[in-house]
Amino acid sequence: MVNYINFRNSIFNCWNNAIHRFVDLSGRTSRYEFWAFNSVSLVIFLLSVLLGWILDEPKLVLNIFALYFLLPATSASVRRLHDLGMSGWWAFPAVGLTLAMLICWNFEISYYNTFLIFFALVYGSFLYWVLSSSGNPRFNKYGFEVKESAVYNLDSRAFICFMSAFLLGLWVIFLFYIW
């Protein structure tokens, strides 16, 4: 039996869908679509970091990345929170912390940056834990349930493991930084 790829829900189509719905804060997003978008974005982020080092312009490259991906990531997070039956406002403290860290980094305000990174990691870890849970299987005030097959559920877990390793790495780097 041949395993065919469903191009409608492939990883890159999920990423492209999230990019195109960057101002859509309504509806729901499945766990697979959300984590596929975030995993591809993380790979693009790591390539951007590499490009920034190669071009010797890390601030410019990372600012472009952050500004380009901030709205799609926020809207995808809001829709994912809707799938869990939660208000999308839970995503906005993360946006505020991200913008504050970018401002401190660009204006080289190092004193507050350590506190901002710490609070961003704590809140990001909490939000990561929430967004990793299974969605609400019923209709809620944000719309109808988003159905996922068992294959996509397994892929979602793989994406979550990938992102867990990255988040753990961020905590290790932060702890070595403050030590």
Side-chain angles (χ1 to χ4, degrees):
M1 178 180 253
V2 178
N3 226 351
Y4 293 101
I5 297 174
N6 183 352
F7 287 106
R8 186 171 157 261
N9 285 326
S10 73
I11 295 169
F12 295 107
N13 282 351
C14 290
W15 182 81
N16 193 29
N17 184 31
I19 293 294
H20 283 96
R21 291 178 65 191
F22 72 97
V23 291
D24 181 14
L25 299 177
S26 63
R28 296 165 69 165
T29 294
S30 70
R31 184 164 59 167
Y32 173 78
E33 184 176 347
F34 177 77
W35 289 111
F37 166 72
N38 279 300
S39 295
V40 171
S41 296
L42 177 61
V43 170
I44 293 171
F45 169 74
L46 295 174
L47 292 173
S48 298
V49 168
L50 183 64
L51 179 67
W53 284 341
I54 290 170
L55 297 176
D56 200 27
E57 290 288 339
K59 281 187 179 181
L60 175 68
V61 172
L62 291 178
N63 282 331
I64 290 170
F65 174 85
L67 293 176
Y68 183 77
F69 282 100
L70 188 62
L71 282 176
T74 303
S75 65
S77 297
V78 167
R79 288 190 309 272
R80 180 73 192 123
L81 286 164
H82 287 172
D83 189 45
L84 298 167
M86 298 175 67
S87 170
W89 287 104
W90 282 97
F92 287 97
V95 173
L97 286 166
T98 301
L99 289 174
M101 284 190 309
L102 277 173
I103 291 168
C104 287
W105 186 53
N106 282 307
F107 292 108
E108 298 176 2
I109 304 170
S110 61
Y111 178 72
Y112 295 111
N113 209 12
T114 304
F115 292 113
L116 287 172
I117 291 171
F118 173 74
F119 289 123
L121 280 172
V122 169
Y123 191 76
S125 298
F126 164 73
L127 202 56
Y128 170 81
W129 174 72
V130 168
L131 295 172
S132 297
S133 357
S134 296
N136 188 346
R138 295 183 200 95
F139 176 81
N140 65 22
K141 66 181 178 180
Y142 302 107
F144 292 101
E145 70 178 291
V146 183
K147 299 207 186 265
E148 287 187 315
S149 69
V151 173
Y152 290 138
N153 200 9
L154 184 63
D155 287 346
S156 298
R157 290 183 183 144
F159 293 139
I160 291 168
C161 288
F162 175 65
M163 298 299 282
S164 296
F166 182 73
L167 185 62
L168 181 63
L170 287 177
W171 271 107
V172 168
I173 290 169
F174 177 74
L175 293 174
F176 277 116
Y177 173 75
I178 62 170
W179 189 11

